[in-house]
Amino acid sequence: MDFNMKKLASDAGIFFTRAVQFTEEKFGQAEKTELDAHFENLLVRADSTKNWTEKILRQTEVLLQPNPSARVEEFLYEKLDRKVPSRVTNGELLAQYMAEAASELGPTTPYGKTLIKVAEAEKRLGAAERDFIHTASINFLTPLRNFLEGDWKTISKERRLLQNRRLDLDASKARLKKAKAAEAKATAEQELRVAQTEFDRQAEVTRLLLEGISSTHVNHLRCLHEFVESQTTYYAQCYRHMLDLQKQLGSSQGAIFPGTFVGTTEPASPPLSSTSPTTTAATMPVMPSVAGLVPPGEAALCLEEVAPPASGTRKARVLYDYEAADSSELALLADELITVYSLPGMDPDWLIGERGNKKGKVPVTYLELLS
């Protein structure tokens, strides 16, 4: 009991001495041991790394889960060390509503059939989003969170300890200056040597931890690459799903809206945009496939012998360079203007393109149709 009281009194004395030293430094009444420039730079870099890691982590969480209530719920589950319940994505929920609507409004009607097709695509998009969230959480968010909750807490603890050692050192220097008697000076010098040793040792420990921030940057760089890869995979999956849906809808569009076949000068509805190949394809007139150009058993016509239709030709701007796969295709250069048209039985993903006396098949997704 006596030992505990002595220790408590000693700790209280040390705390009081540090508080006095800290206060006097703030008012400019005491000298302060300054760290070297390299050490200060390490501290600044560490603080900057911590602050930006927090911001990137929080905003990535917002990107993956825009709903703040859902984020709070997931945070509480993690703190309670419980498994986060599976959550339906917005795409999957939309797919469910569309499927139920088709069932009630008539699954065999044109609208009902289309609802079912779109619902299936939205369900696949939702599943892709779920996989992306899971992968990004493991490969990107978890390492960032581990740094903040692990390495950074250790660094912060050692920095606080270094601050205490510095206050002890400066307090010892102040006592040595005030000491008058030889015995008091000897005691102060001994305390100063001990304080200097402890400060130097703690400064070295803290320096090593701060220099480890470079390894943290390397690790976060690797995680960033993995995040980009998972995001690329996710958007590529979404693009493929939407292209598949677009083809499905395009194949049935002509039966529902006959006016969208080639030969009319305007599509059934105005295009939403002409800035991307995907949008262009979505608003293109529906064309039959090349396989139906000639009846079975008859020789295929040479494209050079095919005359363009009297009506239905349009101008198109090339969006990207395209290298012809064979002699039946026309090579394209970005931004050039060509004349395009379709023939009965052509694949809706292709048109006949003409540039001067050259003609050949061209992919729709590489074109922006003009008036």
Side-chain angles (χ1 to χ4, degrees):
M1 182 67 178
D2 182 50
F3 172 79
N4 290 338
M5 289 299 296
K6 288 181 178 180
K7 185 176 184 303
L8 182 61
S10 175
D11 291 344
I14 293 174
F15 177 79
F16 177 75
T17 301
R18 291 170 180 169
V20 171
Q21 177 66 26
F22 182 80
T23 302
E24 290 180 349
E25 288 176 358
K26 289 297 182 182
F27 286 98
Q29 299 173 354
E31 295 182 3
K32 176 182 176 180
T33 298
E34 299 293 341
L35 301 168
D36 61 77
H38 175 63
F39 202 104
E40 291 290 352
N41 289 335
L42 290 177
L43 289 172
V44 171
R45 188 176 67 150
D47 288 332
S48 182
T49 299
K50 180 257 185 181
N51 292 335
W52 284 112
T53 299
E54 282 184 332
K55 291 180 179 179
I56 293 172
L57 172 66
R58 299 293 173 254
Q59 191 56 38
T60 305
E61 290 176 335
V62 172
L63 173 70
L64 299 180
Q65 177 50 265
N67 188 333
S69 299
R71 291 200 303 274
V72 171
E73 181 182 351
E74 291 172 2
F75 174 78
L76 292 176
Y77 272 100
E78 290 176 1
K79 288 302 179 183
L80 295 174
D81 198 21
R82 296 175 59 184
K83 183 178 179 181
V84 179
S86 178
R87 191 184 304 278
V88 177
T89 63
N90 291 328
E92 290 171 325
L93 187 59
L94 177 59
Q96 178 184 334
Y97 290 163
M98 286 184 170
E100 292 175 357
S103 176
E104 184 171 332
L105 300 176
T108 60
T109 65
Y111 181 43
K113 290 179 180 179
T114 303
L115 277 173
I116 292 174
K117 290 179 180 179
V118 177
E120 291 172 352
E122 293 296 336
K123 185 176 181 180
R124 289 193 291 269
L125 291 175
E129 180 185 2
R130 183 191 302 279
D131 292 340
F132 166 58
I133 293 174
H134 178 72
T135 303
S137 297
I138 294 177
N139 296 339
F140 189 60
L141 291 185
T142 298
L144 299 187
R145 195 175 289 116
N146 287 343
F147 164 71
L148 293 173
E149 297 178 356
D151 294 350
W152 182 253
K153 285 187 176 180
T154 301
I155 291 174
S156 299
K157 177 183 175 182
E158 297 302 329
R159 286 176 67 176
R160 288 193 298 271
L161 189 55
L162 177 63
Q163 171 75 346
N164 290 336
R165 294 287 181 261
R166 187 196 62 75
L167 290 171
D168 294 342
L169 175 62
D170 289 335
S172 298
K173 291 178 179 179
R175 281 195 296 272
L176 179 60
K177 286 184 177 181
K178 294 177 182 178
K180 301 299 182 182
E183 184 178 352
K185 279 189 176 182
T187 302
E189 288 175 352
Q190 177 62 24
E191 290 179 353
L192 178 59
R193 283 193 294 270
V194 173
Q196 184 70 57
T197 300
E198 292 182 347
F199 172 78
D200 292 341
R201 183 186 300 114
Q202 185 58 37
E204 183 62 22
V205 170
T206 308
R207 184 193 303 273
L208 291 174
L209 288 173
L210 293 174
E211 290 176 345
I213 291 294
S214 296
S215 299
T216 298
H217 287 184
V218 172
N219 183 44
H220 288 185
L221 174 62
R222 177 183 58 80
C223 296
L224 185 60
H225 277 281
E226 292 180 355
F227 175 70
V228 171
E229 287 297 326
S230 62
Q231 200 169 29
T232 301
T233 299
Y234 167 57
Y235 287 124
Q237 289 175 336
C238 292
Y239 179 70
R240 288 197 299 271
H241 294 326
M242 293 311 298
L243 276 184
D244 291 341
L245 175 62
Q246 192 178 65
K247 291 178 182 178
Q248 292 180 45
L249 297 183
S251 63
S252 60
Q253 185 181 7
I256 304 172
F257 306 110
T260 60
F261 280 100
V262 169
T264 58
T265 57
E266 297 292 338
S269 59
L272 297 176
S273 171
S274 59
T275 58
S276 70
T278 303
T279 305
T280 301
T283 57
M284 284 274 307
V286 177
M287 328 276 179
S289 73
V290 173
L293 277 172
V294 294
E298 294 186 13
L301 292 175
C302 176
L303 285 176
E304 296 297 333
E305 300 175 358
V306 175
S311 62
T313 61
R314 300 180 67 176
K315 290 291 184 181
R317 183 175 69 87
V318 178
L319 297 172
Y320 317 102
D321 291 348
Y322 177 74
E323 184 176 351
D326 53 48
S327 60
S328 69
E329 297 180 4
L330 182 66
L332 303 174
L333 294 176
D335 295 326
E336 71 172 325
L337 295 177
I338 62 173
T339 300
V340 295
Y341 54 88
S342 179
L343 296 173
M346 278 196 68
D347 188 321
D349 291 335
W350 294 82
L351 292 172
I352 301 298
E354 285 190 358
R355 184 201 309 111
N357 59 353
K358 293 183 179 181
K359 67 173 65 176
K361 295 187 301 180
V362 293
V364 169
T365 53
Y366 281 70
L367 306 175
E368 175 188 357
L369 293 182
L370 305 176
S371 57

